[in-house]
Each structure stands twice: as C-alpha cells, then as structure tokens.
C-alpha cells in the first residue's frame, strides 16, 4: 500500500509560511541554476558533522568524471550518504545551502533568470 500512502500525502493541502506554494526543482544539467546542488548540500552536511567529508568529496569527484552506468552508481552512492539523516536535518541543511533567501549567497544566487522568475512569483 505504498502507492496509497503516496497519494494520501500528495492529496494534503500545502501551506507555506510565506503564503505561496513551495517549489520543488531538480536540475541535473545546469538549466535551472549554475551551481552544484550536491556540492552545496554536501558541504553544509559536512560542516554540521552529519556526513563524512572524505566520502562526500569522493562521491562528488567520481560522479563528475563518470558516465552512463558508472555515473548512476555514483548517484546512488551520493544518496547513500544521506541514509539515517532526519528529514529535518536535510531540510535545514538544504535551506542553508540554498542561502535562506538572502539572494546574494548560496545555491539560490545561481538561479537562471527564467527559474528565478518562477520561484519569486
């Protein structure tokens, strides 16, 4: 009944503190932002002592120079680094990596103009 649980979660109303619907964006090729989402999130998790620095750096380097099935392997390795972390830890680190909306620092400052328009509506 996993799909039923997923549908129930998706059916819940979303309420954001700022009164706008939240945005979830995934960018594997640099079309939405020019920064490195894994690098930014990984660095923040390392800074907080939640992820091993050497493992995070190794995944980032190997993923960057791999292709095809090898790249898929490193993508899975990157996700494995997050195993055991709470959703709250990931959200807090993600917000810090994004730049907490200050517009001048973090991954959020690297948004392409078209994506920025969508996020800031």
């Amino acid at each position: 009944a996993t799909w039923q649980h997923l549908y129930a979660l998706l059916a819940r109303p979303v309420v954001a503190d700022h009164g706008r619907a939240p945005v979830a964006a995934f960018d594997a090729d640099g079309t939405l932002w020019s920064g490195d989402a894994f690098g930014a999130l990984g660095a923040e998790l390392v800074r907080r002592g939640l992820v091993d620095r050497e493992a995070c750096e190794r995944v980032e380097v190997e993923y960057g120079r791999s292709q095809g099935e090898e790249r898929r392997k490193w993508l899975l390795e990157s996700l494995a680094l997050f195993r055991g972390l709470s959703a709250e830890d990931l959200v807090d680190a993600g917000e810090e990596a994004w730049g907490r909306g200050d517009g001048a620092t973090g991954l959020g400052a690297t948004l392409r103009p078209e994506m920025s328009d969508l996020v800031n509506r």
Side-chain angles (χ1 to χ4, degrees):
T2 303
W3 66 270
Q4 290 171 329
H5 179 68
L6 177 61
Y7 279 111
L9 289 173
L10 292 173
R12 290 183 184 172
V14 176
V15 179
D17 294 341
H18 50 68
R20 297 185 315 241
V23 174
F26 304 89
D27 182 16
D29 65 357
T31 56
L32 303 177
W33 56 78
S34 62
D36 176 10
F38 176 79
L41 178 60
E44 183 58 29
L45 291 169
V46 166
R47 188 186 72 74
R48 293 170 180 236
L50 298 172
V51 173
D52 179 70
R53 178 181 306 280
E54 288 180 16
C56 193
E57 289 173 353
R58 181 170 179 247
V59 165
E60 191 166 10
V61 167
E62 295 298 335
Y63 178 83
R65 65 178 170 197
S66 63
Q67 296 179 6
E69 278 302 307
E70 187 71 11
R71 178 162 270 205
R72 182 178 181 278
K73 173 194 166 224
W74 287 107
L75 174 63
L76 294 174
E77 286 291 324
S78 73
L79 296 174
L81 290 175
F82 306 148
R83 186 178 294 128
L85 298 179
S86 71
E88 184 178 348
D89 285 338
L90 289 168
V91 168
D92 288 347
E95 287 178 351
E96 190 66 33
W98 186 258
R100 294 206 181 261
D102 67 9
T105 61
L107 191 59
T110 69
L111 279 179
R112 305 267 187 225
E114 300 83 1
M115 185 62 183
S116 182
D117 289 345
L118 287 173
V119 171
N120 293 315
R121 282 187 186 174

